[in-house]
DNA sequence: GATGAATGAGGCTTCATTCAT
DNA sequence: CATGAATGAAGCCTCATTCAT
């Protein structure tokens, strides 16, 4: 039997497509880390990825699509992470607090992530939008249980989003202390309506250590960043 | 006496220079508000201002410089406004609350301002930086008097800056209700450590109506915006 | 075998790159000859070459680099030509005389060459510099054999370079008679120290006819000049 | 009698016009000296001259006219100088030799002059053209008297012009020895047909020291150059 | 008459995207 | 299929010249 089954062929091709897609997304992250969002993009990305221009366009119709792809990938990884931790927790307040902690912890552990947030800002497409998708249910539950003040959700959401954003930016160029993060989260909980002592107590509950899968975008990219910072930065200005 | 005194000539020339400078700043403001800071291009500004390329460079080396000029002008106008109102108030908490209200009210009354903030983001050069300059004294006084929680200032500042930022963005494309602003301010006061009822009461104190001088950048520009929105937006993407 | 070998592909690509490079060099030559070096502008070159702005920058960072490329190419062609003729000649005086004759003859036969020299002037990068590279050995030998006056080389070189330069300019807009060239060369030989009759005799030795290869820059460009002088000169001032 | 006579008024005005014209021409020379011909012109000239743009255009319709004005002024000064020296000399050969010596000596004494020649090249408008105007009569006389070879004048002229040009360029950035100049002139005389010993003897005749009037362009400019090289070069690049 | 602000054509350079090989 | 040469629109900046005051 000389030829593989068409099915197998298809599957192989698909796997290769995925690998290349990842490679491009990673490379874009690396470029982001090396330079500000402004300045060159495509040239750097394909150079870091080691592929041709044509190949790039095979995978992404435009640079914007690449940005979107990164955002989604990051959002997915983060959601998985957060859900894993908070799902079993009965108290909606703790769920909110731990979710925010995890978001900020990710930015602390992965400057790459913080940099991307900074570059993206508060866009509907960026990972910051995650907050608007993830929190409402928990907030509503907290409100229903009388733990949070019964205000329009957007009040709570804007405060949280804005605060988290600033807190993430604070992680650059060097991360803050854990104490700082706890205090910020406590502040948000007070804003949501919790009494100061309770806010403090819950904000001090540490989430389990981050555990992103080995093949997650952030982990892979961080690794490449540490490994060959030479190659990456060579052309990067 | 047939000829003008050199002094008079000089003064006339100076006045014209100033007029052109203002024209450019106004135009840039219009453009910045309509598009993102990053994407603004000299062509946009000179088209809106109706001047030549060369003229632009006589006054500003780059669009970035224009941006800085606008920021400073806006910051000055805003500070004058705020100081006028809060200076006589003895309670630091009220001073903080009213200051934030005025900031947000300005964004509500002048979509141009909100647009500019959106375009600028949380840059050290943008008017958002105002918060970092203006608040510390009042916050410290509030902390000293036991009204605010005694946390590192940056905790309070990040929360306020982030929240105000988001609240300003909410004013686009259409402003929110006053009630919304009051609630947001109340949330911030709670985060700062005030008990919910007090936070609410102080957040409900309305500031006197905005009163910007007729020749302020915001008033002039808003007027131009209403007048010839055609010209302005033609090229603006 | 359906697909070309990568080797073949590579070679094809390389050949195309070379072709484009040549096209640009030729076009620049046409433009340089038509206008002054100083005034040539990328637009002229790409218009004559019929390529895009971007393409130009792929190959040369500036028009100056093109100029250098042309100079080197011309210098190479000329050297090959001259060496072929003078190498077997035992008498250094004859070698000098014939070399100069060939240089000038080239300018006579190729107005393009004369134009380029005019445009270049006496730059270290221009083909006129050839004289400073090529002559010293022969002059020294002539001096050693007592045929030329024993003066500092630069005296001889400046005189020859200046004179040849002017003589080349004389070839524009229409070439001079051969007799003129012979007389100029004789003058130079007298300046070098030869007695008038001997100078005359040696200056009258005709070099063999020019023979540049078909694919030399001068031949190719001259051909293009004759073919489409319309296109070339359209924008040229 | 309150008003001056119209005649006096006119004369005063004329004198002022002349003064300004000179000021501009000097300034242009200074700028030439400070930078290469390329790069800015008008801005530098008016800055060095301390006048306004408008004033400049009152005096010279374009920059080209300024160049021409400088050339003519220099040519006039040089001619006056040379004529003063050679007029009384009976021997045409000596007249030629001394004239060339004076030309070159001027370039040695005034780097400004050499720089201008370099910038101008062999243009019909430049001072190098002087050679073509001044020499023919003397050469013809020399030929008639059997001192120079009876060749077409252009042969002699091209050789001399080219050689002098190169010799002038040699004076930059630092002047050569007098001996060098003598040898070059001797070479030219040999080329013209003089026997080597006689060429040498005549080339060694030193001209009287240069004596340009105090108010000549070169003297004034050189003085200003030495005086305030700071002001001149401040903006120069 | 002098001034210098305004002009705008003319050059330069970059980079996302296309497409023949 | 992958490639990378070619494209050209979109920015940027300069500077000779004009002209209202």
């Amino acid at each position: 039997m000389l030829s593989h089954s068409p099915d197998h062929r298809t599957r192989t091709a698909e796997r290769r497509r995925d690998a290349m897609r990842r490679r491009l997304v990673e490379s874009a992250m690396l470029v982001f880390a090396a330079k500000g969002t402004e300045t060159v993009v495509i040239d750097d990305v394909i150079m870091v990825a080691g592929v041709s221009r044509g190949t790039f366009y095979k995978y992404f119709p435009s640079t914007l699509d690449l940005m979107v792809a990164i955002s989604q990938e990051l959002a997915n990884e983060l959601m998985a992470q957060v859900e894993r931790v908070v799902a079993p927790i009965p108290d909606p307040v703790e769920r909110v607090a731990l979710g925010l902690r995890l978001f900020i912890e990710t930015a602390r552990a992965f400057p790459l992530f913080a940099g991307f947030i900074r570059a993206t800002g508060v866009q509907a497409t960026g990972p910051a939008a995650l907050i608007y998708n993830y929190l409402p249910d928990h907030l509503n539950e907290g409100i229903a249980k009388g733990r949070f003040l019964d205000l329009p959700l957007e009040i709570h959401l804007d405060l949280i989003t804005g605060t988290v954003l600033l807190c993430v930016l604070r992680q650059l160029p060097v991360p803050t202390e854990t104490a700082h993060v706890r205090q910020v989260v406590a502040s948000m909980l007070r804003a949501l309506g919790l009494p100061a002592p309770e806010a403090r107590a819950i904000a001090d509950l540490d989430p389990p250590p981050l555990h992103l899968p080995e093949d997650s975008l952030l982990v892979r990219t961080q690794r490449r960043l540490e490994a060959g910072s030479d190659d990456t930065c060579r052309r990067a200005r």
Side-chain angles (χ1 to χ4, degrees), chain A residues 38 122 132 149-152 154-163 165-167 169-170 176 179-181 183-184 186-188 190-193 196 200:
Chain A
E38 10 258 317
V122 196
Y132 285 95
L149 282 180
D150 186 7
L151 300 177
E154 60 189 23
I155 303 286
H156 292 327
L157 286 172
D158 284 357
L159 184 134
I160 292 173
T161 306
T163 304
L165 187 69
L166 267 275
C167 189
L169 299 191
R170 279 259 168 232
T176 59
H180 177 264
V181 183
Q183 289 173 324
V184 169
S187 286
M188 288 190 278
R190 288 195 301 275
L192 290 173
R200 185 70 214 229

mmCIF file of all heavy atoms in Angstrom, chain A residues 38 122 132 149-152 154-163 165-167 169-170 176 179-181 183-184 186-188 190-193 196 200:
data_model
loop_
_atom_site.group_PDB
_atom_site.id
_atom_site.type_symbol
_atom_site.label_atom_id
_atom_site.label_comp_id
_atom_site.label_asym_id
_atom_site.label_seq_id
_atom_site.Cartn_x
_atom_site.Cartn_y
_atom_site.Cartn_z
ATOM 1 N N GLU A 38 3.383 49.837 17.980
ATOM 2 C CA GLU A 38 3.710 50.664 16.828
ATOM 3 C C GLU A 38 4.946 50.056 16.164
ATOM 4 O O GLU A 38 5.507 49.113 16.645
ATOM 5 C CB GLU A 38 4.033 52.094 17.269
ATOM 6 C CG GLU A 38 4.170 52.258 18.756
ATOM 7 C CD GLU A 38 2.921 52.870 19.368
ATOM 8 O OE1 GLU A 38 2.407 53.816 18.780
ATOM 9 O OE2 GLU A 38 2.458 52.378 20.407
ATOM 10 N N VAL A 122 -8.381 48.925 25.990
ATOM 11 C CA VAL A 122 -9.692 48.414 26.371
ATOM 12 C C VAL A 122 -10.533 48.200 25.122
ATOM 13 O O VAL A 122 -11.565 48.833 24.937
ATOM 14 C CB VAL A 122 -10.398 49.410 27.304
ATOM 15 C CG1 VAL A 122 -11.561 48.710 27.999
ATOM 16 C CG2 VAL A 122 -9.450 50.012 28.288
ATOM 17 N N TYR A 132 -15.744 41.591 30.891
ATOM 18 C CA TYR A 132 -17.158 41.834 30.620
ATOM 19 C C TYR A 132 -17.925 40.548 30.335
ATOM 20 O O TYR A 132 -19.137 40.489 30.494
ATOM 21 C CB TYR A 132 -17.317 42.798 29.439
ATOM 22 C CG TYR A 132 -17.011 44.221 29.812
ATOM 23 C CD1 TYR A 132 -15.751 44.763 29.609
ATOM 24 C CD2 TYR A 132 -17.990 45.008 30.410
ATOM 25 C CE1 TYR A 132 -15.462 46.054 29.971
ATOM 26 C CE2 TYR A 132 -17.722 46.322 30.776
ATOM 27 C CZ TYR A 132 -16.456 46.840 30.553
ATOM 28 O OH TYR A 132 -16.183 48.119 30.928
ATOM 29 N N LEU A 149 -23.434 45.457 46.364
ATOM 30 C CA LEU A 149 -24.492 46.468 46.254
ATOM 31 C C LEU A 149 -25.282 46.252 44.980
ATOM 32 O O LEU A 149 -24.721 45.899 43.935
ATOM 33 C CB LEU A 149 -23.891 47.870 46.244
ATOM 34 C CG LEU A 149 -23.462 48.406 47.605
ATOM 35 C CD1 LEU A 149 -22.877 49.815 47.444
ATOM 36 C CD2 LEU A 149 -24.659 48.438 48.554
ATOM 37 N N ASP A 150 -26.551 46.531 45.069
ATOM 38 C CA ASP A 150 -27.402 46.299 43.897
ATOM 39 C C ASP A 150 -27.396 47.522 42.988
ATOM 40 O O ASP A 150 -28.314 48.338 42.981
ATOM 41 C CB ASP A 150 -28.831 45.991 44.360
ATOM 42 C CG ASP A 150 -29.693 45.598 43.173
ATOM 43 O OD1 ASP A 150 -29.120 45.452 42.053
ATOM 44 O OD2 ASP A 150 -30.906 45.461 43.354
ATOM 45 N N LEU A 151 -26.309 47.636 42.231
ATOM 46 C CA LEU A 151 -26.197 48.745 41.267
ATOM 47 C C LEU A 151 -26.253 48.176 39.871
ATOM 48 O O LEU A 151 -26.090 46.963 39.689
ATOM 49 C CB LEU A 151 -24.865 49.456 41.476
ATOM 50 C CG LEU A 151 -24.614 50.071 42.852
ATOM 51 C CD1 LEU A 151 -23.211 50.662 42.909
ATOM 52 C CD2 LEU A 151 -25.667 51.133 43.139
ATOM 53 N N PRO A 152 -26.476 49.065 38.905
ATOM 54 C CA PRO A 152 -26.399 48.568 37.523
ATOM 55 C C PRO A 152 -25.057 47.884 37.317
ATOM 56 O O PRO A 152 -24.012 48.384 37.755
ATOM 57 C CB PRO A 152 -26.477 49.849 36.684
ATOM 58 C CG PRO A 152 -27.127 50.863 37.564
ATOM 59 C CD PRO A 152 -26.788 50.486 38.974
ATOM 60 N N GLU A 154 -23.049 47.700 34.948
ATOM 61 C CA GLU A 154 -21.972 48.430 34.265
ATOM 62 C C GLU A 154 -21.170 49.288 35.230
ATOM 63 O O GLU A 154 -19.982 49.530 35.015
ATOM 64 C CB GLU A 154 -22.524 49.262 33.119
ATOM 65 C CG GLU A 154 -23.528 50.296 33.585
ATOM 66 C CD GLU A 154 -24.234 50.962 32.401
ATOM 67 O OE1 GLU A 154 -24.277 50.344 31.325
ATOM 68 O OE2 GLU A 154 -24.737 52.090 32.562
ATOM 69 N N ILE A 155 -21.822 49.714 36.302
ATOM 70 C CA ILE A 155 -21.067 50.483 37.300
ATOM 71 C C ILE A 155 -19.941 49.605 37.845
ATOM 72 O O ILE A 155 -18.761 49.974 37.838
ATOM 73 C CB ILE A 155 -21.982 50.901 38.476
ATOM 74 C CG1 ILE A 155 -23.178 51.708 37.982
ATOM 75 C CG2 ILE A 155 -21.172 51.648 39.534
ATOM 76 C CD1 ILE A 155 -22.835 53.103 37.585
ATOM 77 N N HIS A 156 -20.319 48.441 38.310
ATOM 78 C CA HIS A 156 -19.317 47.527 38.846
ATOM 79 C C HIS A 156 -18.291 47.137 37.789
ATOM 80 O O HIS A 156 -17.091 47.099 38.059
ATOM 81 C CB HIS A 156 -20.003 46.256 39.378
ATOM 82 C CG HIS A 156 -20.835 46.502 40.594
ATOM 83 N ND1 HIS A 156 -20.520 47.444 41.551
ATOM 84 C CD2 HIS A 156 -21.999 45.906 41.025
ATOM 85 C CE1 HIS A 156 -21.423 47.433 42.511
ATOM 86 N NE2 HIS A 156 -22.347 46.510 42.223
ATOM 87 N N LEU A 157 -18.782 46.873 36.602
ATOM 88 C CA LEU A 157 -17.873 46.392 35.553
ATOM 89 C C LEU A 157 -16.850 47.455 35.145
ATOM 90 O O LEU A 157 -15.672 47.156 34.948
ATOM 91 C CB LEU A 157 -18.675 45.946 34.327
ATOM 92 C CG LEU A 157 -19.406 44.613 34.487
ATOM 93 C CD1 LEU A 157 -20.326 44.362 33.299
ATOM 94 C CD2 LEU A 157 -18.393 43.477 34.627
ATOM 95 N N ASP A 158 -17.311 48.675 34.995
ATOM 96 C CA ASP A 158 -16.374 49.717 34.596
ATOM 97 C C ASP A 158 -15.301 49.907 35.661
ATOM 98 O O ASP A 158 -14.113 50.006 35.356
ATOM 99 C CB ASP A 158 -17.114 51.041 34.390
ATOM 100 C CG ASP A 158 -17.882 51.034 33.073
ATOM 101 O OD1 ASP A 158 -17.775 50.041 32.335
ATOM 102 O OD2 ASP A 158 -18.595 52.017 32.797
ATOM 103 N N LEU A 159 -15.737 49.933 36.907
ATOM 104 C CA LEU A 159 -14.762 50.110 37.968
ATOM 105 C C LEU A 159 -13.736 48.979 37.957
ATOM 106 O O LEU A 159 -12.520 49.217 38.040
ATOM 107 C CB LEU A 159 -15.459 50.166 39.328
ATOM 108 C CG LEU A 159 -14.512 50.449 40.486
ATOM 109 C CD1 LEU A 159 -15.072 51.507 41.415
ATOM 110 C CD2 LEU A 159 -14.160 49.177 41.239
ATOM 111 N N ILE A 160 -14.224 47.778 37.836
ATOM 112 C CA ILE A 160 -13.297 46.644 37.860
ATOM 113 C C ILE A 160 -12.380 46.653 36.638
ATOM 114 O O ILE A 160 -11.158 46.505 36.750
ATOM 115 C CB ILE A 160 -14.073 45.321 37.944
ATOM 116 C CG1 ILE A 160 -14.761 45.235 39.318
ATOM 117 C CG2 ILE A 160 -13.144 44.134 37.730
ATOM 118 C CD1 ILE A 160 -15.695 44.054 39.454
ATOM 119 N N THR A 161 -12.981 46.828 35.495
ATOM 120 C CA THR A 161 -12.165 46.795 34.280
ATOM 121 C C THR A 161 -11.079 47.868 34.324
ATOM 122 O O THR A 161 -9.904 47.604 34.063
ATOM 123 C CB THR A 161 -13.049 47.027 33.044
ATOM 124 O OG1 THR A 161 -14.117 46.091 33.063
ATOM 125 C CG2 THR A 161 -12.231 46.863 31.773
ATOM 126 N N GLY A 162 -11.489 49.074 34.644
ATOM 127 C CA GLY A 162 -10.515 50.164 34.696
ATOM 128 C C GLY A 162 -9.419 49.880 35.698
ATOM 129 O O GLY A 162 -8.228 50.047 35.412
ATOM 130 N N THR A 163 -9.799 49.431 36.850
ATOM 131 C CA THR A 163 -8.813 49.200 37.898
ATOM 132 C C THR A 163 -7.857 48.062 37.527
ATOM 133 O O THR A 163 -6.640 48.172 37.706
ATOM 134 C CB THR A 163 -9.516 48.879 39.224
ATOM 135 O OG1 THR A 163 -10.412 49.960 39.538
ATOM 136 C CG2 THR A 163 -8.507 48.712 40.341
ATOM 137 N N LEU A 165 -7.121 47.075 34.607
ATOM 138 C CA LEU A 165 -6.262 47.542 33.523
ATOM 139 C C LEU A 165 -5.060 48.301 34.080
ATOM 140 O O LEU A 165 -3.904 48.009 33.749
ATOM 141 C CB LEU A 165 -7.069 48.453 32.592
ATOM 142 C CG LEU A 165 -6.359 48.873 31.326
ATOM 143 C CD1 LEU A 165 -6.188 47.678 30.397
ATOM 144 C CD2 LEU A 165 -7.112 49.988 30.619
ATOM 145 N N LEU A 166 -5.337 49.253 34.931
ATOM 146 C CA LEU A 166 -4.224 50.024 35.495
ATOM 147 C C LEU A 166 -3.285 49.121 36.272
ATOM 148 O O LEU A 166 -2.062 49.262 36.215
ATOM 149 C CB LEU A 166 -4.750 51.122 36.419
ATOM 150 C CG LEU A 166 -4.990 52.496 35.809
ATOM 151 C CD1 LEU A 166 -3.703 53.308 35.809
ATOM 152 C CD2 LEU A 166 -5.534 52.380 34.395
ATOM 153 N N CYS A 167 -3.855 48.192 36.993
ATOM 154 C CA CYS A 167 -3.032 47.298 37.800
ATOM 155 C C CYS A 167 -2.129 46.442 36.912
ATOM 156 O O CYS A 167 -0.976 46.175 37.248
ATOM 157 C CB CYS A 167 -3.941 46.421 38.658
ATOM 158 S SG CYS A 167 -3.046 45.463 39.867
ATOM 159 N N LEU A 169 -1.023 47.361 33.938
ATOM 160 C CA LEU A 169 0.035 48.233 33.420
ATOM 161 C C LEU A 169 1.142 48.428 34.457
ATOM 162 O O LEU A 169 2.306 48.546 34.120
ATOM 163 C CB LEU A 169 -0.547 49.590 33.033
ATOM 164 C CG LEU A 169 -1.612 49.557 31.927
ATOM 165 C CD1 LEU A 169 -1.932 50.971 31.441
ATOM 166 C CD2 LEU A 169 -1.151 48.707 30.757
ATOM 167 N N ARG A 170 0.751 48.464 35.722
ATOM 168 C CA ARG A 170 1.736 48.591 36.805
ATOM 169 C C ARG A 170 2.753 47.445 36.795
ATOM 170 O O ARG A 170 3.818 47.556 37.403
ATOM 171 C CB ARG A 170 1.056 48.534 38.171
ATOM 172 C CG ARG A 170 0.444 49.763 38.665
ATOM 173 C CD ARG A 170 1.290 50.491 39.702
ATOM 174 N NE ARG A 170 0.672 51.803 39.856
ATOM 175 C CZ ARG A 170 1.322 52.949 39.769
ATOM 176 N NH1 ARG A 170 2.615 52.952 39.621
ATOM 177 N NH2 ARG A 170 0.688 54.088 39.850
ATOM 178 N N THR A 176 4.826 44.178 40.427
ATOM 179 C CA THR A 176 4.683 44.687 41.787
ATOM 180 C C THR A 176 4.735 43.525 42.781
ATOM 181 O O THR A 176 4.779 42.355 42.399
ATOM 182 C CB THR A 176 3.322 45.386 41.941
ATOM 183 O OG1 THR A 176 2.303 44.419 41.650
ATOM 184 C CG2 THR A 176 3.202 46.562 40.993
ATOM 185 N N ALA A 179 1.509 41.850 47.724
ATOM 186 C CA ALA A 179 0.705 42.661 48.644
ATOM 187 C C ALA A 179 -0.066 43.739 47.888
ATOM 188 O O ALA A 179 -1.226 44.034 48.172
ATOM 189 C CB ALA A 179 1.607 43.302 49.689
ATOM 190 N N HIS A 180 0.591 44.311 46.924
ATOM 191 C CA HIS A 180 -0.032 45.364 46.138
ATOM 192 C C HIS A 180 -1.282 44.842 45.441
ATOM 193 O O HIS A 180 -2.350 45.465 45.471
ATOM 194 C CB HIS A 180 0.977 45.900 45.113
ATOM 195 C CG HIS A 180 0.416 46.934 44.201
ATOM 196 N ND1 HIS A 180 -0.071 46.645 42.951
ATOM 197 C CD2 HIS A 180 0.250 48.267 44.371
ATOM 198 C CE1 HIS A 180 -0.494 47.753 42.373
ATOM 199 N NE2 HIS A 180 -0.318 48.759 43.211
ATOM 200 N N VAL A 181 -1.154 43.685 44.845
ATOM 201 C CA VAL A 181 -2.290 43.117 44.132
ATOM 202 C C VAL A 181 -3.438 42.858 45.108
ATOM 203 O O VAL A 181 -4.595 43.171 44.825
ATOM 204 C CB VAL A 181 -1.903 41.804 43.422
ATOM 205 C CG1 VAL A 181 -3.091 41.267 42.631
ATOM 206 C CG2 VAL A 181 -0.702 42.025 42.524
ATOM 207 N N GLN A 183 -4.134 44.378 47.840
ATOM 208 C CA GLN A 183 -4.776 45.627 48.236
ATOM 209 C C GLN A 183 -5.686 46.176 47.143
ATOM 210 O O GLN A 183 -6.772 46.700 47.410
ATOM 211 C CB GLN A 183 -3.714 46.670 48.596
ATOM 212 C CG GLN A 183 -3.016 46.339 49.916
ATOM 213 C CD GLN A 183 -1.857 47.264 50.213
ATOM 214 O OE1 GLN A 183 -1.141 47.678 49.298
ATOM 215 N NE2 GLN A 183 -1.665 47.593 51.470
ATOM 216 N N VAL A 184 -5.236 46.040 45.917
ATOM 217 C CA VAL A 184 -6.064 46.529 44.816
ATOM 218 C C VAL A 184 -7.366 45.730 44.747
ATOM 219 O O VAL A 184 -8.453 46.302 44.593
ATOM 220 C CB VAL A 184 -5.303 46.442 43.476
ATOM 221 C CG1 VAL A 184 -6.256 46.680 42.308
ATOM 222 C CG2 VAL A 184 -4.178 47.460 43.449
ATOM 223 N N ALA A 186 -8.798 44.180 47.163
ATOM 224 C CA ALA A 186 -9.621 44.569 48.301
ATOM 225 C C ALA A 186 -10.368 45.870 48.005
ATOM 226 O O ALA A 186 -11.553 46.020 48.313
ATOM 227 C CB ALA A 186 -8.743 44.725 49.543
ATOM 228 N N SER A 187 -9.666 46.817 47.392
ATOM 229 C CA SER A 187 -10.314 48.081 47.041
ATOM 230 C C SER A 187 -11.519 47.839 46.139
ATOM 231 O O SER A 187 -12.592 48.419 46.325
ATOM 232 C CB SER A 187 -9.323 49.011 46.331
ATOM 233 O OG SER A 187 -8.403 49.544 47.249
ATOM 234 N N MET A 188 -11.338 46.971 45.175
ATOM 235 C CA MET A 188 -12.450 46.700 44.263
ATOM 236 C C MET A 188 -13.612 46.074 45.018
ATOM 237 O O MET A 188 -14.777 46.408 44.783
ATOM 238 C CB MET A 188 -11.982 45.793 43.125
ATOM 239 C CG MET A 188 -11.066 46.498 42.137
ATOM 240 S SD MET A 188 -10.733 45.533 40.642
ATOM 241 C CE MET A 188 -9.438 44.457 41.216
ATOM 242 N N ARG A 190 -14.400 46.500 48.111
ATOM 243 C CA ARG A 190 -15.097 47.555 48.864
ATOM 244 C C ARG A 190 -15.998 48.354 47.934
ATOM 245 O O ARG A 190 -17.129 48.687 48.289
ATOM 246 C CB ARG A 190 -14.082 48.483 49.526
ATOM 247 C CG ARG A 190 -13.350 47.873 50.703
ATOM 248 C CD ARG A 190 -12.636 48.938 51.528
ATOM 249 N NE ARG A 190 -11.657 49.700 50.748
ATOM 250 C CZ ARG A 190 -10.403 49.318 50.529
ATOM 251 N NH1 ARG A 190 -9.960 48.172 51.022
ATOM 252 N NH2 ARG A 190 -9.594 50.059 49.824
ATOM 253 N N ALA A 191 -15.485 48.647 46.770
ATOM 254 C CA ALA A 191 -16.303 49.403 45.814
ATOM 255 C C ALA A 191 -17.565 48.622 45.474
ATOM 256 O O ALA A 191 -18.642 49.196 45.275
ATOM 257 C CB ALA A 191 -15.501 49.695 44.551
ATOM 258 N N LEU A 192 -17.437 47.307 45.424
ATOM 259 C CA LEU A 192 -18.607 46.481 45.104
ATOM 260 C C LEU A 192 -19.591 46.439 46.263
ATOM 261 O O LEU A 192 -20.721 45.984 46.095
ATOM 262 C CB LEU A 192 -18.151 45.058 44.760
ATOM 263 C CG LEU A 192 -17.406 44.890 43.432
ATOM 264 C CD1 LEU A 192 -16.865 43.475 43.307
ATOM 265 C CD2 LEU A 192 -18.315 45.213 42.256
ATOM 266 N N GLY A 193 -19.122 46.877 47.415
ATOM 267 C CA GLY A 193 -20.055 46.946 48.539
ATOM 268 C C GLY A 193 -19.657 46.143 49.759
ATOM 269 O O GLY A 193 -20.353 46.148 50.767
ATOM 270 N N ALA A 196 -15.016 46.756 54.637
ATOM 271 C CA ALA A 196 -13.565 46.732 54.495
ATOM 272 C C ALA A 196 -12.917 45.474 55.066
ATOM 273 O O ALA A 196 -12.068 44.859 54.401
ATOM 274 C CB ALA A 196 -12.961 47.975 55.124
ATOM 275 N N ARG A 200 -10.928 42.772 52.775
ATOM 276 C CA ARG A 200 -9.531 42.475 52.994
ATOM 277 C C ARG A 200 -9.311 40.969 53.120
ATOM 278 O O ARG A 200 -8.403 40.395 52.501
ATOM 279 C CB ARG A 200 -9.085 43.174 54.292
ATOM 280 C CG ARG A 200 -7.625 43.042 54.586
ATOM 281 C CD ARG A 200 -6.839 43.871 53.566
ATOM 282 N NE ARG A 200 -5.587 43.267 53.229
ATOM 283 C CZ ARG A 200 -4.439 43.950 53.239
ATOM 284 N NH1 ARG A 200 -4.426 45.232 53.557
ATOM 285 N NH2 ARG A 200 -3.330 43.346 52.896
#
